[in-house]
Every structure is written in structure tokens, then in C-alpha cells.
Amino acid sequence: MESPTPSPPTGSTLHGRVLVGARVGGDGSVSVHDGHDTVADEPVTVTLLAPDLVADPAAVHAFLGRAQTLAGLRSPGLVRVLGDGRDGDHVYVVTASTRGEPLGEVLGGGDQGLRYGPHTALTIVADVLEALRTAHDEGLVHGGLAPDDVVLAADNRVTVTGFRLLGTEDLTPRTDVRAVGALLHSLLTGDLRVEEGEPLRPSATVPGLPPDLDMLVSNATEPNPRYRPRDAGQYLTLVEQVLRSLPRPRTEGGDVTQPIPVVDAEALAAGGSPARGEGTPPWRRLPVLVGAGAVVLALCVAGWALVPGDAAELPDLTGFSPEMAEVELAALDMELTFAYEDAYSEDVDPGEVAATEPTAGTELEGGEAILLSLSVGPRHVEVPDVVGGTENDARTLLREAGFTEVEVVQEHSAEETPGTVLSSVPEVGEDGDREEEVTLHVSEGVIVPTLVGMAQAEATEALGGLGLTVSVVEAPSESVAEGAVSGQDPEPGTILPEDGAVTLTVSTGPEVVEEETEDAEDGGTAEGGSGEDGDQAAPGGSCSGSAWDAGTIYDEGDRVHYEGRVYEARWWIQGFPPDLGGEWGAWSDQGPC
């Protein structure tokens, strides 16, 4: 007998609230649809598990489990999960609709392909990495980042969408790093056809790009994953360092924070000047290199440098901003070309010209190349006070001081909270070489193991072997055998001090519900009744039935009590307390018990 064909999802309504619209994407495991929240009256996006996988409990568990993990992430750069669950034949995730334009459409919008300038390309990538760092810190990998998964809004906000909900078990954060490196290559070159193989180098497509950009892209797209940055956080540190070393572009009106626009790559390489768009978002407009007033001023003061004939002396550009240095060179009217490199400097502020090659006063010839060295500050700087703070805070302070290579060594410490920085090499207050690695010694503590399902004696012995103290509470459980651990606090993976405590919830088996006894022959109320009409006891009394258990898997319709209230599961759920989620949550509040 043939299995019935599932009804098309388009036009369906999930839980009487979300109307499923036309399909807009997906793969063999999921389909993505436009949707509309009829209660909030706003557009949403609906991702549905493929019909042939809905009958696979493992696939449903993995799909909803990743959706619930994604829902717990808090980052302005991540798409917001509104709800998930199962309604009949449909297993779904509902996410907020993102306003803006996918990068894939932006970069493909020109006749020859479009690209961004280095500053804006790195700014976009930094925002993407900041969002992915939040996910990586929680053990979640995107799994398939592409230009269409990065949405740019008119206010320059970057949103990462399209997290893969199945098939990511064997992927690591380095998979996402490779995808971001390929994205940076596409932003800089306009080439969306990025294939696996040798490390990518954008300067091979767009000559003249700073060498640091080649370094960023090639490191991230290295075929061997072990040689890539380990996660989004480490790659973000490198990107921020290069971003700080680049000259900041100026726009009309002098707003130096305005991003460089999307420009036509081939026209730019040919020396052309792309036209400025009208009515386009800020990140698609072409800014002027410097304001007209600055150009006039520079041309006036540059007159002293002109020498009769075809030669001129290179002026002293030390301390100039990159933009003003370019204007000075253009004023010589000798068709000079110029390039940039980073240089340490004790005297010149970061971002300003520290030196030139050739040196100031050199007689120039037409068409000569000028190398401008931009200061990144001194090479040796004082190591900030990181001892006593958290590892994440220490990394931030070191990054702000200019240290980009940080190694962490974990050590046991009975005195300090896990994750506390115990010491650093070089020590706090010493001058450190920014080219060298800073080593942080961090209190490791004890990692709490997974204990649910173990016998009480076995779990107690395991915790005792780790030096942790144990307390036990008992509670009924429908799914865990009597005498076995049905819950634990804190949860697995938590780092505790060596003398930390763990509370085990041990199952007493299924809860026994006493049958009601009839009164004498007068047909009175059952024991515990509250009057002649047989009404239930007033709310606020003791709760009967099953207490919520973090280790139990609940199906639609299952009821539990939690903190004095009764909740009913709307769909499959595990590990999420009933008081979380509100109207979009998996639990429906049935009132006090």
C-alpha cells in the first residue's frame, strides 16, 4: 500500500497562528517559506522539515534541538527565532523576517559584478564574525554560510540568517571560518564563484589591494582546516587588527564613518569612476574621497612643492592622514601611484603616515610608485591588567592593546573561580612585543559530567572522584527508572571549583495516583472534595501529577506542574522549563494547581 502524499504546506496555518506562504528556498532536508503571523500581523519566515523526515524521530529531535539552541542566542546580528514545534504533519521553525538586501543580490547587481572597498568589506565581515562568535561560544555552527545568508539593511545593520538545522554533526567552527574567508573574497572582488582548492588571494583579481587582505582571505580559506583560525572569535581579532590599520574613507559632508560603496570592479581596475546611485541605501552610495574644501586647501598649500620642469621633490608627509597624503601627491601632477603597508611607530599616531619610500626630499620622476607606511602604534606596549578577570575580558583588553596572538593554558586552582585569569606571560605591566604571543594562565576548575540515566551510587562515585560534593533529592519520573538520576544541577559541561556541589534528582519511578474513594451510600463527594457539587480543591493547594523534569521528553498534550502552576506541552520538548517562551513557547500555562 502506498503512503499518502503529504498535503502541500503553502496555505497551511500552524497552530492557528502562522500562515505558510510560497516557498523561497531550502534543500533536500528542509523547505523555507514566506509566512505571516496573523496574531502580530507581521511577516515571518517559516522553515519546514522535509515530509520524509518528519517520521524520523532522530531527525525531528535534531531539527528542534538546534532550533531551540538558536533561540537561546542573544546577538543583534543573528536572525531571531520566534517559535518552533510540530503541528500535525509539519515540524517547523518560525523566524523573524529580515529587512534588507542579501549580499548575493547586491554583489550580483552590476553588469560586470560589483565589489566593496576594503574598509566596508572588513566592516561587514567583522559584523558577521561577531554574530557567529556568539553561536560558536554556545557550540553552534552555521554550517553553510553563503552571501545570500548575510542581509544588509539600509541602516548598515548586518544580519546572519540561514543556519543549517540538520547535517551539521561533523562540522566545526573552522567550517564557518572558511565560509567567511570566501565571503570576504567575494566582497573584495565581486566574484561569487568561490570554489574549494588553493587558498584564495583577492589581489590576483583586483591588483593593488593591501597585502593584509590577502593574508586574511588565504588564512581562512586554507584547504587544511587545522591551519585556519579556530573559530569566529579568533578570526575577528585578525580582521579588527587589519581594519584598524586601513585608512578610514571620507564621504560627502566629511562623515568618516560612512562605508565605502559597492563599485564596479572592472571599471575601477580600468581607472573609471562609477556613477553615484540615487535613492539607494547608504552602503550603496559612492562617497567622495575627501570634501571639496579639503581638496582646494591641499592644492593651495602644495604649490611650494612644485618644481619647474618634469621633476618635483617628495614632500614630508609624516603625520598626514592617508587621504591628505593622497591629495598632496595628486597635487604634484606627476601621475604618481601609491600603495600602503603597516609600520610600527613610537611617535606617529595610529592611522597616520609614519614614513615614505622614497624618503621626503627625494626628486621624483613621473609615474613613480610611492609606498606610504601607516602607523599601527609602537611595537612594544604595556601588558594590561588582566589578572583576576575573566578570560573573555582579558582577550578584549589584550586585543585593544594591540596583541593579536593569545594562548590559554588551563590550570587547576582551588582559590579562584573557574575561568579566572591567574597570571600572564609577559606579566601585567611589562612591555610586550605585539609580534609575539601572550600566554594566559586560566583557572580550569572541574567540568561537571553528564549524569542523567546513571544509577545513584554510580553518579555519586563519579562526582566524588572529581572532588565534588553531592546532595540528593527524590522526585517521580515517567521516563527514568527508579533509583536512577533523572536530573542534575548544575547542567553538564558547567565548570565548578574543586569543592563545588552538585544536586542529583533521583527517580522514585512513576508517580502513583491514588484512586478516588466513594463516600457511603449517600453518593457523597470523593475524598478531598470541596462541597456538595464535587468541585475541585481551590487553586493554591499542593500540586498532584508529574513535576517537570529536565531529562524527560514530553510530547504534545503532556501535563506537568512547575512552581505551583500546571503546564501542557504544545509539541515535543525537552530541557526547557515551562515558564520560558511565553505565548510562543512550547508550554501552555493552564493556571495554578
Side-chain angles (χ1 to χ4, degrees), residues 494-528:
T494 302
I495 300 178
L496 294 178
E498 292 184 351
D499 59 349
V502 177
T503 300
L504 301 178
T505 302
V506 176
S507 170
T508 58
E511 183 165 7
V512 177
V513 180
E514 296 183 1
E515 295 183 1
E516 295 181 349
T517 59
E518 295 184 357
D519 281 344
E521 300 170 358
D522 58 3
T525 61
E527 183 179 348

Side-chain angles (χ1 to χ4, degrees), residues 287 404 407:
T404 57
E407 179 70 18

Side-chain angles (χ1 to χ4, degrees), residues 259-571:
I260 295 175
V262 176
V263 295
D264 186 297
E266 295 190 5
L268 186 64
S273 176
R276 177 158 50 93
E278 296 181 359
T280 55
W283 41 267
R284 298 202 60 184
R285 298 178 191 153
L286 177 61
V288 179
L289 178 62
V290 290
V295 176
V296 173
L297 175 62
L299 291 175
C300 291
V301 301
W304 60 269
L306 299 177
V307 179
D310 296 330
E313 288 186 0
L314 178 65
D316 185 1
L317 302 175
T318 303
F320 277 52
S321 69
E323 296 88 351
M324 291 305 300
E326 292 178 12
V327 172
E328 290 279 357
L329 294 174
L332 299 177
D333 197 23
M334 298 184 66
E335 297 184 352
L336 300 173
T337 61
F338 43 84
Y340 294 99
E341 70 172 5
D342 290 339
Y344 293 110
S345 175
E346 299 288 338
D347 306 316
V348 179
D349 291 337
E352 296 179 351
V353 176
T356 59
E357 179 63 40
T359 59
T362 300
E363 189 172 283
L364 302 174
E365 297 180 358
E368 193 167 346
I370 309 298
L371 178 63
L372 302 172
S373 298
L374 299 182
S375 170
V376 292
R379 174 167 175 171
H380 294 85
V381 297
E382 183 178 304
V383 175
D385 186 2
V386 296
V387 174
T390 65
E391 177 189 335
N392 287 339
D393 289 344
R395 287 182 178 276
T396 299
L397 290 173
L398 289 170
R399 185 169 64 247
E400 291 174 349
F403 297 101
T404 57
E405 293 295 328
V406 179
E407 179 70 18
V408 174
V409 177
Q410 293 188 333
E411 297 180 357
H412 288 289
S413 173
E415 295 81 18
E416 297 293 343
T417 302
T420 302
V421 177
L422 305 175
S423 63
S424 67
V425 179
E427 294 183 0
V428 171
E430 292 184 348
D431 282 346
D433 188 340
R434 292 167 59 188
E435 292 288 323
E436 301 295 331
E437 187 175 78
V438 175
T439 301
L440 297 177
H441 293 264
V442 178
S443 174
E444 181 181 37
V446 180
I447 301 176
V448 178
T450 300
L451 303 166
V452 173
M454 297 173 61
Q456 177 182 341
E458 183 183 2
T460 301
E461 182 179 357
L463 293 173
L466 295 172
L468 300 174
T469 59
V470 184
S471 60
V472 176
V473 296
E474 295 183 341
S477 175
E478 299 293 330
S479 59
V480 178
E482 182 178 356
V485 176
S486 60
Q488 63 181 91
D489 182 26
E491 62 185 18
T494 302
I495 300 178
L496 294 178
E498 292 184 351
D499 59 349
V502 177
T503 300
L504 301 178
T505 302
V506 176
S507 170
T508 58
E511 183 165 7
V512 177
V513 180
E514 296 183 1
E515 295 183 1
E516 295 181 349
T517 59
E518 295 184 357
D519 281 344
E521 300 170 358
D522 58 3
T525 61
E527 183 179 348
S530 60
E532 297 179 358
D533 296 329
D535 293 337
Q536 295 287 331
S542 61
C543 297
S544 61
S546 298
W548 175 76
D549 175 23
T552 300
I553 297 176
Y554 296 99
D555 290 322
E556 181 180 356
D558 288 347
R559 287 199 172 202
V560 299
H561 62 80
Y562 182 77
E563 296 186 351
R565 302 188 70 83
V566 176
Y567 295 87
E568 181 177 297
R570 290 192 175 103
W571 52 76

